[in-house]
Amino acid sequence: MIALTVFPTSSARPLASAARMRLAALMVALASLASSALAAGDIESGKTLFAARCASCHSVGPMATSGFGPQLNGLANRHAGSLTDFDYSTAMKQSGIVWNDSTLAAFIANPGKTVPGTKMRFWGIGNARKVDDLIAYLHTFK
């Protein structure tokens, strides 16, 4: 987190109440932006992880099709189990999940716990940083 401190000089007048409020709001906004930037995953690391752990079942990109697993283009805000070219488990179709960063992170970390009865045979990725990287990479495929 970034900390900003204002040091008044001896010649500076004390800030008026409204100015102090604006400065405080600005500091909160800057801290929020900094923490968001730090939380975002690394796309290149995600690409490497996808190739090593996901690409044997899933595809992404302009030529992506569903195969052993569903293709993952346009995953953000998609309802789980909704692609017509993949035979999802009943559990996935009935899960009610809409994919976003938090639902996807939970599923990647532990698919069987997030959707009991899923056909996905994957133990999960327990490292939150790697999950963030993978999600950042998947976001590049609209």
Side-chain angles (χ1 to χ4, degrees):
M1 181 186 240
I2 296 175
L4 297 176
T5 307
V6 177
F7 295 101
T9 63
S10 59
S11 64
R13 292 187 337 200
L15 290 174
S17 179
R20 280 196 303 266
M21 296 282 282
R22 284 193 298 269
L23 181 60
L26 177 62
M27 290 170 44
V28 168
L30 287 172
S32 175
L33 286 173
S35 65
S36 296
L38 293 175
D42 178 84
I43 294 170
E44 284 303 312
S45 294
K47 180 179 181 179
T48 301
L49 183 61
F50 185 88
R53 305 281 303 271
C54 310
S56 62
C57 299
H58 299 280
S59 62
V60 291
M63 303 302 289
T65 58
S66 295
F68 194 73
Q71 60 86 8
L72 300 178
N73 290 338
L75 194 56
N77 299 315
R78 184 165 80 193
H79 289 266
S82 64
L83 293 180
T84 58
D85 68 341
F86 186 76
D87 184 28
Y88 294 94
S89 66
T90 301
M92 184 63 75
K93 288 189 246 181
Q94 295 177 353
S95 69
I97 291 174
V98 175
W99 298 119
N100 60 41
D101 288 357
S102 62
T103 57
L104 192 53
F107 189 73
I108 293 168
N110 193 334
K113 181 179 177 185
T114 305
V115 181
T118 183
K119 293 190 324 185
M120 186 162 156
R121 298 295 168 240
F122 179 70
W123 290 103
I125 298 172
N127 181 310
R129 181 77 222 177
K130 288 182 179 182
V131 171
D132 288 344
D133 294 346
L134 185 56
I135 292 171
Y137 175 66
L138 291 174
H139 276 302
T140 65
F141 300 96
K142 306 285 182 205

